Amino acid sequence: MSRLTPQDITQLLLALALMLGMARLFSEVFTRLRQPAIVGEILAGIVLGPSLLGAIAPELMGSLFPTTGASAVALDTINTLAVVLLLLVAGMEVDLSVLWRQGRAALMVSVLGMIIPFGIGAGLAWLVPEFLGAGAGVESLTFALFFGIALSISALPVIAKILFDLGLFKSDIGMLIMAAAMFDDLVGWMGFSVVLGKMSAESGSGHEGSFGVGATIVLTILIAATTLTIGRYLVHRVLPWIQARLSWPGGVIGFVLVLALSAAAATEAIGIHAIFGGFLAGVAIGDSAHLREQTRVILHQFVANVFAPIFFVSIGLRVNFLANFDLVLVLVVLAIAFIAKLAGCYSGARLGGLTRSEGWAIGFGMNARGAMEIILGLLALQFGIISDELFVALVVLALVSSIVSGPMMNRFVRRPKSWALEDLLSLERIVDLDGATDAESAVALLAQDVAQRTGIPLAVIERAAIARERQIGSGIGNEIAIPYARLEAIEAPVLALGHSSVGIDFDSPDGALSHLVALVLTGEPDDGAHVRIMAQIGRGFRTEEARTMVYQRQPANVIRAFIKIQAAAHAHA
Amino acid sequence: MKVFRKIGIAVAVSPGIDALLAEAHRYASAPGGDVELIHVGARTPEKEQAIRDSWARTGSAVEPTIVWRTGSPADEILGVIRSDELDLIIAGANERESLLRGFFGSVARALARDADASVLLITAPQKPPRAIRRIAVNLDFDDDALVLLRRSLRLAARLASSEIDIVHVSTKFAEDIAYADGVDARQLETIEESDVEGTLALMRDYVDAAGISLVPVRPQMITGNRGQALVDFARRQNVDLMIVPAMQRGLMLERIFLSDLERLLQNIPCHLLLARPPEDMLEEASS
């Protein structure tokens, strides 16, 4: 058995130390600039590689990062391991229950956000493969499929980081983007595995005895289906046993790695790339509700802080970014990628019932490509599907889209506003509800008041508020009822206050009649504004003292001041 | 204080009918409420008498209508829900189903997935019925959350429950990914603290907006995969009835990559009410 010499080992360890050190340094700088760490890691590689160090001191670079010999092979092995593990954690991030929860809008965004970029990318690549940087001798169909997938993929980790920085990670729009990006990743990686399998079979670069094109595609689908059904079920069953019986976290981490590496070996052996096995194992493992969050985080951090930097720095070591930087190609790729992704996601969002500004925010969010684009590009480069120039353009696309995504999203995203009850109350005109005989006639009287103040047709307000009232009575107890409705025509919440001295049955939970009735109207969508306003009304008029002030028509300023003090007391509590 | 206007109960003439009706009639005894007992199978005088006798043994003052259908049980019951505009359908359900039956569907699970009404699945029905002491309501802040909460508080009062947990499940999906990919742990901690604070404040707003409750209310925030976290919560806290918002119609794919609903149906932890707001009124209003 051939062995690494002490000199090889020294060279390898030094190279790894340099790569990790520079990656950490650059990623810290970029993190402080609120940019994804990956941008710094790739720049570290460009500094250490042929683009900069190689241009200034080629011998030094050659001795630090040799391209031949045992240490080069060892580094290449570590890189293969890194990319398998990166795909393992990418697979573990897939949680389709998030997609189902977001419903039709997320499905439309993910499907159109894939199909349109794929169609535009594949179509252009089919028409002008040479211009777009197809590898020498590569089949037009293979290149078209690759380019289509490259334009349709998103980068979940970068998107998560951007949403986190913008404080949107728990918002509806944030969860929708995450869900749609996850689905795109799942479909994109499966599609790309088929392309790699096809490529491998055509070129004969697979193992001896590897299968033909048709058989490889069938096998790819078969493996995916088996892993995602039976494999997933078995993992779900075995995980509790492992977590209960083996040491923690060593036992479960060992299990995950054994499974991922075995799956990667299996897919590599049949001529599909090892990453596919890693990714599928990740999906099967990550889907189990038995997998503890902490296990997930430990694995993520292990890969993100050790293997990811090595992988991304090595990209800069392989390719001369300056020599292969083709400005025209870069600009064309950027333009096609941005337009296609924005068009796809925007139309998906609109068809899913979202507003224009939400559509743009989602489009820019989904446009962040980051690590996934680079991994995809590198594999395509290794398989000869694309030229060095296109690879550089794809790396630039990944970096630019990741950098501009956050600021552009921020321009379009709508944030919930808060409304203070004392500012909304129109205490100067308390509607007399003594003429009302039941809840619906009381709502109609209040609707008249709102119609006069806003100019919105009375029938529209009445119909919407009464429909809500019929859903469930709006009495909340303590003599208070709060009927409400949401109308597209409303820009800022409107509140009408009424008083009935005899009391009206609004089906209150305490069975009492309501004397104080507040009709709340908010816009559509209202981001929960109606709930916040109703809660303030409930709290503000909880005491008999506060209600009596309204019943006795005390001066508006006095009531406002009273409510304000009560609200402050609640906030303090 | 009506919670449901028109209720259907899926019945089979079997030894379990007394227990199911004993459990179910408590939801159907609102004054003025309509109750339909739906049986899919051939109509015979013996069966009719058995169903009527069983209902009489519940002691309910409501006079039910018996609806007879023949054909596929799930399809027929779904048809009755639509044609008779039921608000709630009640059916008995096993806590677990075999893998294949769960996948291709039992009647109860088919109703849970496809009914145009709220669905109450009663697991392990007992006679006399199990007291519904503890109710958990899943609050997810969507458009219908307030209606769901109000109905739940009223139902809790009707069932004379001793406490109601308002549970919000916060998924840590985005945080985990962002944390793993470079968000500073201290920054994460600060953001998470303010997120918890904000979520609890919003939950309190919902509780205050829903109105006074005759049953003590406890807002709680838990984390995890929503479906699984609710199952675990119900088990850990010995919940008797779990109320969750009815989820959107599912795709077949959701039975492979489990949605929240499918996770709940895979292992129903207690009586499960999938509550759907009465949409027809809003649709009428908008037309």
Side-chain angles (χ1 to χ4, degrees):
Chain A
M1 189 175 84
S2 58
R3 288 174 163 209
L4 288 170
T5 64
Q7 194 193 345
D8 292 333
I9 294 172
T10 311
Q11 209 169 27
L12 177 68
L13 295 178
L14 191 62
L16 288 173
L18 253 178
M19 290 164 81
L20 282 171
M22 287 290 278
R24 175 51 50 195
L25 188 71
F26 276 70
S27 65
E28 286 288 335
V29 171
F30 277 84
T31 304
R32 273 162 215 269
L33 296 172
R34 301 181 81 81
Q35 295 300 332
I38 184 183
V39 179
E41 289 164 356
I42 288 172
L43 278 180
I46 292 173
V47 170
L48 290 175
S51 315
L52 205 68
L53 184 63
I56 300 164
E59 284 175 11
L60 178 62
M61 193 212 133
S63 63
L64 286 171
F65 306 106
T67 49
T68 54
S71 61
V73 173
L75 194 57
D76 197 44
T77 309
I78 293 172
N79 268 321
T80 306
L81 185 63
V83 77
V84 168
L85 294 178
L86 273 166
L87 265 290
L88 166 74
V89 295
M92 285 175 68
E93 284 160 4
V94 173
D95 176 359
L96 286 182
S97 66
V98 177
L99 177 70
W100 308 135
R101 201 175 307 143
Q102 295 306 313
R104 184 166 172 262
L107 262 180
M108 296 301 287
V109 169
S110 60
V111 170
L112 288 183
M114 275 216 99
I115 288 176
I116 293 181
F118 180 84
I120 292 176
L124 285 172
W126 177 267
L127 291 173
V128 283
E130 287 82 17
F131 175 74
L132 285 175
V138 74
E139 251 195 36
S140 294
L141 177 63
T142 308
F143 179 65
L145 288 174
F146 162 77
F147 199 68
I149 292 169
L151 293 203
S152 56
I153 209 159
S154 295
L156 197 52
V158 174
I159 291 172
K161 171 83 167 59
I162 291 166
L163 293 171
F164 210 84
D165 286 342
L166 296 177
L168 294 171
F169 64 107
K170 284 285 166 66
S171 65
D172 286 347
I173 203 167
M175 290 309 284
L176 189 148
I177 292 173
M178 295 281 286
M182 194 169 50
F183 186 72
D184 285 3
D185 273 6
L186 182 68
V187 177
W189 283 110
M190 288 198 186
F192 187 56
S193 301
V194 172
V195 176
L196 285 184
K198 177 176 180 298
M199 188 68 196
S200 171
E202 280 166 1
S203 66
S205 63
H207 296 261
E208 217 172 294
S210 62
F211 307 93
V213 177
T216 306
I217 292 170
V218 171
L219 264 175
T220 306
I221 294 166
L222 206 64
I223 287 176
T226 313
T227 313
L228 297 179
T229 51
I230 299 168
R232 219 185 85 251
Y233 176 78
L234 291 176
V235 168
H236 187 68
R237 295 268 153 186
V238 169
L239 260 179
W241 187 90
I242 287 175
Q243 294 189 141
R245 306 285 173 91
L246 304 187
S247 60
W248 194 86
V252 67
I253 289 176
F255 168 73
V256 170
L257 290 177
V258 166
L259 205 65
L261 296 178
S262 309
T267 50
E268 182 74 30
I270 59 164
I272 314 165
H273 198 283
I275 56 157
F276 189 51
F279 182 70
L280 286 179
V283 177
I285 296 161
D287 181 72
S288 173
H290 295 310
L291 187 72
R292 292 185 194 159
E293 269 174 29
Q294 222 177 333
T295 309
R296 211 183 281 264
V297 168
I298 291 171
L299 269 164
H300 260 92
Q301 291 202 326
F302 168 64
V303 174
N305 292 310
V306 179
F307 285 98
I310 292 175
F311 176 77
F312 292 118
V313 171
S314 74
I315 288 168
L317 298 180
R318 284 168 197 241
V319 181
N320 189 328
F321 276 71
L322 296 180
N324 292 299
F325 187 88
D326 179 339
L327 183 63
V328 176
L329 183 61
V330 167
L331 291 176
V332 168
V333 168
L334 277 175
I336 300 171
F338 270 62
I339 292 168
K341 195 72 178 174
L342 286 173
C345 296
Y346 178 84
S347 32
R350 294 291 287 153
L351 285 172
L354 301 174
T355 63
R356 283 196 185 91
S357 58
E358 284 171 332
W360 288 120
I362 288 168
F364 280 107
M366 292 283 289
N367 192 39
R369 290 140 196 277
M372 295 299 119
E373 189 77 60
I374 295 169
I375 297 172
L376 199 76
L378 190 69
L379 292 172
L381 184 67
Q382 286 172 346
F383 274 72
I385 301 175
I386 61 172
S387 64
D388 282 2
E389 287 79 5
L390 178 56
F391 176 69
V392 170
L394 289 175
V395 173
V396 174
L397 167 64
L399 298 182
V400 172
S401 62
S402 300
I403 291 168
V404 302
S405 188
M408 291 308 289
M409 264 191 85
N410 207 22
R411 275 180 64 112
F412 290 103
V413 88
R414 186 172 41 86
R415 291 169 197 277
K417 288 182 186 165
S418 56
W419 306 94
L421 177 61
E422 63 269 20
D423 300 331
L424 296 172
L425 280 172
S426 56
L427 292 160
E428 289 77 8
R429 40 192 299 168
I430 294 169
V431 180
D432 186 348
L433 298 178
D434 279 345
T437 51
D438 57 14
E440 292 189 11
S441 55
V443 169
L445 285 173
L446 289 165
Q448 264 177 24
D449 180 62
V450 176
Q452 281 169 14
R453 280 157 52 195
T454 59
I456 299 171
L458 171 64
V460 173
I461 304 172
E462 234 183 68
R463 199 167 52 207
I466 289 174
R468 294 262 174 203
E469 190 62 33
R470 286 180 189 168
Q471 268 196 322
I472 192 156
S474 62
I476 64 165
N478 292 325
E479 302 181 354
I480 305 169
I482 319 177
Y484 88 101
R486 290 201 293 266
L487 296 171
E488 273 181 28
I490 299 267
E491 281 180 17
V494 182
L495 203 155
L497 204 60
H499 172 230
S500 162
S501 56
V502 289
I504 301 161
D505 183 8
F506 272 89
D507 196 18
S508 280
D510 57 0
L513 297 177
S514 299
H515 293 273
L516 184 69
V517 186
L519 173 64
V520 176
L521 294 178
T522 57
E524 180 84 81
D526 78 345
D527 300 312
H530 69 284
V531 172
R532 293 188 178 90
I533 295 166
M534 289 159 95
Q536 289 184 64
I537 296 170
R539 289 191 290 260
F541 294 103
R542 184 175 285 158
T543 61
E544 199 176 345
E545 190 185 359
R547 295 194 298 272
T548 307
M549 290 170 95
V550 176
Y551 301 161
Q552 293 175 346
R553 308 288 200 275
Q554 291 207 4
N557 285 344
V558 176
I559 303 176
R560 272 202 189 92
F562 186 85
I563 303 258
K564 206 168 176 176
I565 291 166
Q566 286 206 318
H570 170 78
H572 187 65
Chain B
M1 205 166 67
K2 267 186 266 178
V3 181
F4 300 105
R5 288 169 305 168
K6 205 167 180 185
I7 295 169
I9 305 171
V11 290
V13 181
S14 68
I17 186 172
D18 273 5
L20 177 71
L21 291 182
E23 296 269 7
H25 90 278
R26 296 178 292 178
Y27 302 86
S29 54
D34 289 333
V35 176
E36 290 185 1
L37 303 178
I38 307 164
H39 178 75
V40 181
R43 181 176 187 170
T44 64
E46 294 77 26
K47 276 187 184 176
E48 186 162 354
Q49 195 55 47
I51 293 171
R52 289 207 182 280
D53 288 350
S54 184
W55 180 260
R57 283 192 286 274
T58 66
S60 169
V62 176
E63 188 58 41
T65 313
I66 302 180
V67 177
W68 300 89
R69 289 283 187 277
T70 49
S72 148
D75 291 344
E76 291 303 321
I77 297 169
L78 288 169
V80 173
I81 293 169
R82 278 191 293 273
S83 63
D84 294 3
E85 297 181 344
L86 300 182
D87 277 335
L88 171 70
I89 179 78
I90 303 176
N94 293 330
E95 286 174 33
R96 288 171 190 234
E97 294 283 8
S98 68
L99 188 64
L100 279 183
R101 196 167 152 78
F103 188 84
F104 292 109
S106 63
V107 174
R109 282 159 174 81
L111 295 178
R113 290 180 186 121
D114 295 323
D116 288 325
S118 297
V119 178
L120 173 64
L121 301 182
I122 293 187
T123 53
Q126 292 171 18
K127 191 186 174 195
R130 193 168 69 194
I132 307 292
R133 277 187 288 270
R134 191 159 188 181
I135 296 180
V137 185
N138 173 220
L139 183 68
D140 67 357
F141 306 143
D142 73 358
D143 283 353
D144 300 314
L146 187 62
V147 175
L148 171 80
L149 188 54
R150 283 185 171 168
R151 291 175 112 190
S152 303
L153 295 179
R154 286 161 197 229
L155 188 61
R158 161 99 65 80
L159 295 170
S161 303
S162 49
E163 101 177 278
I164 181 162
D165 294 296
I166 313 293
V167 185
H168 176 74
V169 186
S170 173
T171 157
K172 294 191 76 181
F173 179 66
E175 291 100 308
D176 286 350
I177 297 174
Y179 180 42
D181 284 280
V183 170
D184 186 80
R186 287 156 296 190
Q187 185 198 355
L188 183 76
E189 204 174 309
T190 315
I191 291 173
E192 277 188 336
E193 270 171 22
S194 82
D195 178 50
V196 170
E197 231 169 73
T199 304
L200 287 173
L202 187 54
M203 291 180 81
R204 281 193 292 272
D205 279 349
Y206 268 89
V207 171
D208 288 340
I212 61 171
S213 171
L214 305 180
V215 175
V217 175
R218 256 192 349 175
Q220 303 209 44
M221 181 177 160
I222 56 175
T223 57
N225 175 296
R226 183 172 161 226
Q228 190 64 41
L230 289 173
V231 170
D232 294 343
F233 180 85
R235 291 239 166 78
R236 214 173 37 242
Q237 304 288 334
N238 294 319
V239 169
D240 300 300
L241 170 65
M242 168 78 72
I243 305 177
V244 297
M247 296 156 202
Q248 293 180 351
R249 297 280 181 285
L251 305 170
M252 200 65 178
L253 208 56
E254 290 180 32
R255 297 184 206 177
I256 300 172
F257 297 102
L258 299 180
S259 62
D260 296 330
L261 174 64
E262 293 300 331
R263 273 194 206 280
L264 280 165
L265 293 181
Q266 208 175 48
N267 214 337
I268 304 171
C270 56
H271 294 348
L272 176 67
L273 173 59
L274 301 160
R276 190 179 295 282
E279 280 299 328
D280 50 338
M281 291 148 190
L282 293 183
E283 280 160 16
E284 277 167 24
S286 59
S287 61

